[in-house]
Amino acid sequence: MSTLIPSKFSRRSFLRTSSLTSGGMLIGFNFFTACKDTAVMPVDISKLNYNDFNAFIKIADNGMVTIFSPNPEIGQGVKTSMPMIIAEELEVPWEHVHVAQGVLDTENYVRQVAGGSQSIRFGWDALRQTGATARQMLVNAAATKWKVDPSTCTAKKGIITNSKGETLGYGDVVKEAAGMEVPENVALKDPKEYTLIGTDVGNVDIDKIITGKPLFGLDYKAEGMVYAAVLRPPAFGQTLVSYDETAAKATPGVIDVIKIGSKAQEMMTKEDVNWTVKLAQSEKVVVLAKNTWAAMQGKKAINAVWEQSTTPESTALHQQKLLDLLNGNKFKTLRKDGDIKKAFSKADKVIERTYESPFLPHNCMEPMNFYANVTDEKIHLVGPVQTPADAAATVAAMLGRDMADVRLEMTRMGGGFGRRLYGDFVYEAAEISDTIKKPIKMVSSREDDMTTGVYRPAITYRISASIKDGEITGYHLKEAAINGNMYGLIPNFFPAGAIENYQVDAASYDSSITTGAWRAPYTNFLAFAEQNFIDELAHELDKDPVALRLALLQKVKGSTDDRIQYSPERMEDVIHLAVEKSGYQTPKEGVYQGFCAYYCHNTHVAEVADVVMENNTPVIKKITVAVDCGIVVNPLGALNQVEGGVVDGVGHAMYGDFKFNDSTPASNNYDGYRLIRNGEAPKVETHFVKNTLSPTGLGEPTLPPAGAAIAIAIQKATGNRLYKQPFVSNMKAKNILG
Amino acid sequence: MPTYNLTINGKPQTIEATADMPLLWALRDELDMVGTKYGCGIGQCGACTVHVNGNATRSCQLQVSQLEGKEITTIEGLSEDGSHPVQKAWKEVDVPQCGYCQAGQIMTASAFLDKNPNPSEQEIKNAMHGNICRCAAYNRIQQAVAIAAENKSV
């Protein structure tokens, strides 16, 4: 059976075609939105117009297909998996497909953002429909040539066959297909018929990566380009008073020293400003040099005077402020079911626990950098950014230029984790180039990156529950966070709906330290607090932790509360799969297992951590993961995401610590900041729930449960229950090995 | 500015640079060999690993003035076409996520396997411990090194 997808847009208008002057057919399409009436399809492949289209597919007259992948690649695999979806419906062998990064963005580039594990989820329908429509046009063209009904023809592996067994390759009919009307009501394939989706496809950039070819922003070079190192305020809330550039200018290789920040500052006075401009608004000193080393050396030679304009903040202050908030009454209520107060007053017992987490830097391995060449005619920007459309629009506004002047090219990104959602480094690069009227490459050092970041803020949770007659009657989650609180749908995650009296409250402390999204925002720590608490509740109730979760899920089934985000049935599936594959009911002698089940980013995940004691030290040996992310487009890539997400979750829960003194980070490089390393990584064993539901994201949802699973296993192994991250600083056994 | 004559990937290269310029930046900015990556600049992450006389070394910690007469190999020179057993294993396992640290991982692994062709699992972990992968693809890195060792010894 084929499926017809209910479409938000008319098929006629979301896709357009043209015949290329160099031969072949070009298809342009938009996600979610119709093409403008004025949208014109280019006939020259070098003039792809991203003003009107999200992405293009070129089918050459030799049948080879080039897909201009529309989404930024930060390591989550979409540059491979999204074209796979098009190729599946287009019925073209993967060997005939070449994937090129979608070159640039502009105002209409709707979902050209990598973040929130949403690329696949949003792209699924549009990509399938585009591939299927293109396939149908090729079939229609062949049928017209043969003078037969298109329904008597089939397309497989780039070849169209009619009922007599005659064949035509896609390349043979592209010219005719390009001129045909775009068909409506094109049938999509049944997932059971997939031949490419669900198979292992290697990373499309693998050959370049293993041979060291230029791919990343830091690798980009242009004629006449100079390197720029930026001296930013050494503490948050500081502003530049004065600086002496003499020694910097005497550094070999240094060309000039300038000051920037006025353009961003000026922009902050306007209305409707993208808030990320705030990140770039302070005055900074820029050293321009012939090479990166000279720029970095010159920067060290600047003698600058700074002034603190805000109250200096320390980690001790943050901890106190967050505890004060938890003890106070400045909460806003995000969800309220029943009557918490009543449930607590009638309870046999009330349990209350507090969980604390530190700030975390993103630490993308490729430091922030961007190329900019601002001339009177054009603004050319090249580099790694997760939000290219926003960045380009903001640069245009900041420099008082027309959007049409801006060309932004995306490179492969050496990690994102949320940091590259914020385009401050793009604005800086543009302002530098605008000031000196030369092509420049702004390069941050590791120290710049770690100390002038947009951090995961410190957050504390206080969870309390009431128990009456052996049942959980009330659940109260309080959040105290820095610079904002959990948003949107998170209050409707588990255990919302499963406990009659349920309340989520949140309070925030305003800090001058910049904070933002970090891989799986809020849930990256909330999962640990909540699942650790549920485990403790199970102990209190003398119930098996898995049985307790299943009993709670039972209460959500058939709920008419449409705010509830997770599916109790899908959660059950991952719980059963994780239990079965990890041997949770029958653990081996000496193996302590921690169980966790969580939903976030539209994906359900259960994880079981295996910990053993070696020389009185807990060692995390293995994590068994069960995931329901719907159809797994590319298992090879999906497994990599799961493995990475889990080990990243383990690493930050174990080691991630980032302290402040006087609004200055206490560590600035990997000698003082610990990231998980090879020998500490547990083995990750992944199992996917097999179903034919639409795919959901994988870049984030496996990270949050990992911290809880290992904490619970460590508790079983050592008797030491953990309430505070990072674990290494908060438990007796200091040397925990993976 | 002084000039230095280096031997990189078997070819003589002349660099005009200050004596203290790290090999990393000479490779990237002066010689257009950008496969060697900058990660931390203090020898802690391994992204900039190259071979000097066959030993895996952090190029951010080597000054161009110290390197005359030494055999330097970078990722660009490990093989002509990605056919080194370690590169092939990396492709077979599909190790990279973002891919940024992988050249350094491959250079560490290849020097290690030259010295220890039949490593144990623990020896692989120890050898690769100095190279950070922020995407945490450590399971696959271990697997690829083991496969490379197997293929090399055949």
Side-chain angles (χ1 to χ4, degrees), chain A residues 203 207 210 218-219 221 291-292 362 412 445-446 636 640 644 648 669 676-679 682-684, chain B residues 21 28-29 32 37-40 44 87 91 94-95 97-98 100 129-130 134-135 138-140 142:
Chain A
N203 189 315
D207 290 326
I210 62 173
L218 208 68
D219 303 341
K221 286 181 182 188
N291 56 61
T292 316
H362 295 90
R412 193 175 178 88
S445 66
R446 174 58 52 201
L636 188 64
N640 215 350
D648 192 11
N669 207 322
I676 192 166
R677 288 176 180 270
N678 199 308
K683 282 262 174 293
V684 178
Chain B
M21 180 186 274
R28 293 187 55 84
D29 294 351
D32 285 347
K37 295 294 192 258
Y38 168 73
C40 70
Q44 290 283 322
Q87 289 170 312
K91 184 170 177 170
D94 201 43
V95 172
Q97 286 182 39
C98 86
Y100 190 81
H129 202 70
R134 176 64 183 84
C135 303
Y138 294 126
N139 280 202
R140 289 197 181 188
Q142 291 164 17

Side-chain angles (χ1 to χ4, degrees), chain A residues 523-534:
Chain A
T523 58
N524 58 40
F525 182 65
L526 176 58
F528 157 75
E530 168 202 301
Q531 288 290 304
N532 205 7
F533 185 77
I534 300 244

Side-chain angles (χ1 to χ4, degrees), chain A residues 155-176:
Chain A
K156 283 267 178 297
K157 292 188 183 295
I159 293 163
I160 304 151
T161 309
N162 66 18
S163 56
K164 289 184 226 154
E166 293 170 320
T167 61
L168 281 167
Y170 280 2
D172 303 328
V173 292
V174 280
K175 197 159 175 263
E176 292 79 6

Side-chain angles (χ1 to χ4, degrees), chain A residues 672-726:
Chain A
Y673 182 85
R674 187 171 174 187
L675 282 168
I676 192 166
R677 288 176 180 270
N678 199 308
E680 294 152 349
K683 282 262 174 293
V684 178
E685 186 188 299
T686 308
H687 302 275
F688 291 105
V689 172
K690 288 184 177 57
N691 61 34
T692 52
L693 299 166
S694 295
T696 55
L698 265 186
E700 291 165 299
T702 65
L703 182 147
I710 60 172
I712 294 163
I714 290 168
Q715 190 277 329
K716 279 192 186 171
T718 65
N720 187 355
R721 196 169 282 278
L722 295 158
Y723 298 99
K724 197 170 174 179
Q725 290 185 357

